[in-house]
Amino acid sequence: MREAERGAGAAGMRRHNLALVLRLITESGPVSRVELAGRTGLTKATVSSLVSELLEAMLVHDIGPAGGTTAGGRPATLLEPAPLGPLAVGLQFDLDHVAGCLVDLGGRVRARELRRVHAAGLGPRELVGALRPLLGRLLTAAVDAGRLVAGVGVAAPAVMAATEDADDPLLAWAPQFGWRDADLHAALSGALTALGAPGMAVRIGNDAACAARAEFRAGHPDAGLALYLGGESEIGACVVADGVPRPGVRLGGSAFGHVPLRPRGARCPCGARGCLDSYAGRAALLTAAGRPDQGLTRMTGGARLSTALTSTEAGQRAVAAAADALGEALGPLLAVLDPDLVVLGGRLGGLGDAVLEPLRRRLSGFVPGLAEPIPLRAATLGPDAAMRGAALAIVGQIVAEPLAWITEMFG
């Protein structure tokens, strides 16, 4: 083997091992060097060298004795994601709000901002204008804490369209906002430049896929093949494999609410007839329950929305009808995918057993040969799951490529 090839192989191995060690620390910490060596199969000397590099780059932190000793008789110490390491901004928007948070390498929320905005009539640049003060406060909070911001993730209630740059998709279709082929990335990059952060990484994804990322990291990291259903104003769906959202190349996890159930059914705002959202979406639920649709999401409406739909007979009937429609759309999909787990998030997940129980009954009829039904769970993170997941997309880039981050920051 030529010397250049040998060097390239060594560099690639170092890059891979740094990412492996950092991923284990962020997902399983606190963890000792001895445990890392056992779980990775690397020698203790190699692990120590990699950890030293991560410590110097302020990506991990040594928190002190673990209560045991090393083979040399020295106290074993534990490692965790660095409390002063880089942060990521997560943003989300919907009909009635813009919101954001700061998330660290360990997935913990360090700051949170919410602004009530009537966003439904705004264009992409107007929406970014509404986001800009909130984004500025989050960036300032990071600077005041002495932290670097690695990038900005955005959870959008829209169908995403892939472009040549996978990190720069177009919002192909956002029916609630009337957007087609909206370049939110360019508008947000301009706002960051105005805020003194030119060139900062921006990643935009569908809100259901972003929420799935946060939910499965927090509560179901070991799920094999799973399905997440979410969305606040519209219903989205995303396949999750080994804890990682796989939103697809063309639809980005966001078009499930517009699956046509009944060709001669109610007219949907998207223009089609009989869409799932026309029977299980926000407006359909509230109309069936005899309540006005004020365009409120859980972020601003809070528990009042769930109470309104579960405390009256009309509301309970509306929820049961929504569960029936959701089961009708979901049943064939489950029969094909046969997932290990289904997690119901978003507005419907917030209704808990009121929707889970009728949905279980509906689904049991689709695959009657199963000895045990597919586990169906409610999401646990609440209405800010999407912005947390958007931030985790940025965090995930650092964890997957720590050497690139180290090289960019420290040369």
Side-chain angles (χ1 to χ4, degrees), residues 325-337:
L326 182 60
E328 186 178 342
L330 187 57
L333 187 58
L334 297 186
V336 173
L337 290 177

Side-chain angles (χ1 to χ4, degrees), residues 233-256:
S233 296
E234 294 189 320
I235 301 170
C238 181
V239 172
V240 181
D242 297 322
V244 179
R246 306 293 185 188
V249 175
R250 284 166 290 277
L251 299 179
S254 51
F256 192 62

Side-chain angles (χ1 to χ4, degrees), residues 1 5 12 30 53 55 80 105 112 151 155-156 160 169 171 246-247 266 282 302 328 338 347 367 373 376 378:
M1 182 184 292
E5 292 174 342
E53 193 166 356
L55 284 167
E80 68 175 7
L105 286 177
R112 186 176 182 275
M160 309 306 298
L171 274 67
R246 306 293 185 188
R282 182 201 72 253
E328 186 178 342
D338 189 19
R347 177 186 297 267
V367 198
L376 178 63

Side-chain angles (χ1 to χ4, degrees), residues 266-284:
R267 177 74 68 180
C268 178
C270 76
R273 284 191 176 276
C275 293
L276 173 60
D277 265 322
S278 297
Y279 303 97
R282 182 201 72 253

Side-chain angles (χ1 to χ4, degrees), residues 38-404:
R39 295 178 64 176
T40 60
L42 301 173
T43 67
K44 294 176 184 177
T46 298
V47 167
S48 292
S49 175
L50 295 168
V51 166
S52 294
E53 193 166 356
L54 295 171
L55 284 167
E56 187 175 349
M58 295 186 68
L59 294 176
V60 302
H61 174 63
D62 195 322
I63 61 175
T69 59
T70 66
R74 296 184 301 274
T77 59
L78 294 175
L79 302 159
E80 68 175 7
L84 295 178
L87 298 171
V89 173
L91 302 174
Q92 72 179 61
F93 63 93
D94 214 308
L95 294 172
D96 59 349
H97 73 272
V98 292
C101 62
L102 287 173
V103 172
D104 66 16
L105 286 177
R108 291 164 293 196
V109 175
R110 296 297 189 178
R112 186 176 182 275
E113 292 280 347
L114 171 67
R115 182 184 179 193
R116 295 171 184 264
V117 175
H118 182 65
L122 301 182
R125 293 195 176 277
E126 295 170 307
L127 179 77
V128 170
L131 274 167
R132 181 174 159 176
L134 178 150
L135 177 57
R137 290 193 296 273
L138 290 171
L139 294 176
T140 298
V143 170
D144 290 346
R147 312 285 289 275
L148 293 171
V149 175
V152 177
V154 185
V159 174
M160 309 306 298
T163 61
E164 291 184 4
D165 181 355
D167 292 333
D168 185 14
L170 286 174
L171 274 67
W173 180 41
Q176 298 176 94
F177 294 84
W179 297 356
R180 289 277 186 181
D181 298 327
D183 193 354
L184 191 65
H185 190 286
L188 191 56
S189 295
L192 285 165
T193 297
L195 289 168
M200 182 171 286
V202 174
R203 292 195 67 178
I204 303 173
N206 167 255
D207 57 349
C210 288
R213 179 181 292 108
E215 184 67 36
F216 277 80
R217 171 166 175 153
H220 313 283
D222 299 322
L225 180 66
L227 185 66
Y228 177 86
L229 300 168
E232 290 296 325
S233 296
E234 294 189 320
I235 301 170
C238 181
V239 172
V240 181
D242 297 322
V244 179
R246 306 293 185 188
V249 175
R250 284 166 290 277
L251 299 179
S254 51
F256 192 62
H258 296 283
V259 170
L261 292 184
R262 295 150 197 173
R264 297 182 181 180
R267 177 74 68 180
C268 178
C270 76
R273 284 191 176 276
C275 293
L276 173 60
D277 265 322
S278 297
Y279 303 97
R282 182 201 72 253
L285 267 171
L286 293 169
T287 298
R291 301 189 64 87
D293 178 16
Q294 298 175 316
L296 296 177
T297 64
R298 287 186 301 157
M299 188 71 88
T300 58
R304 299 193 308 275
L305 295 173
S306 296
T307 301
L309 289 169
T310 57
S311 61
T312 66
E313 288 188 12
Q316 291 165 7
R317 286 195 299 270
V319 171
D324 188 68
L326 182 60
E328 186 178 342
L330 187 57
L333 187 58
L334 297 186
V336 173
L337 290 177
D338 189 19
D340 302 303
L341 175 68
V342 176
V343 175
L344 183 60
R347 177 186 297 267
L348 289 173
L351 297 173
D353 286 340
V355 70
L356 289 174
E357 289 306 319
L359 181 56
R360 286 191 181 101
R361 290 194 295 271
R362 185 73 169 89
L363 292 176
S364 66
F366 276 96
V367 198
L370 283 178
E372 295 182 4
I374 294 169
L376 178 63
R377 306 278 187 269
T380 59
L381 290 185
D384 63 353
M387 67 182 181
R388 290 174 64 172
L392 287 173
I394 299 294
V395 168
Q397 288 183 311
I398 300 176
V399 174
E401 292 284 352
L403 185 57

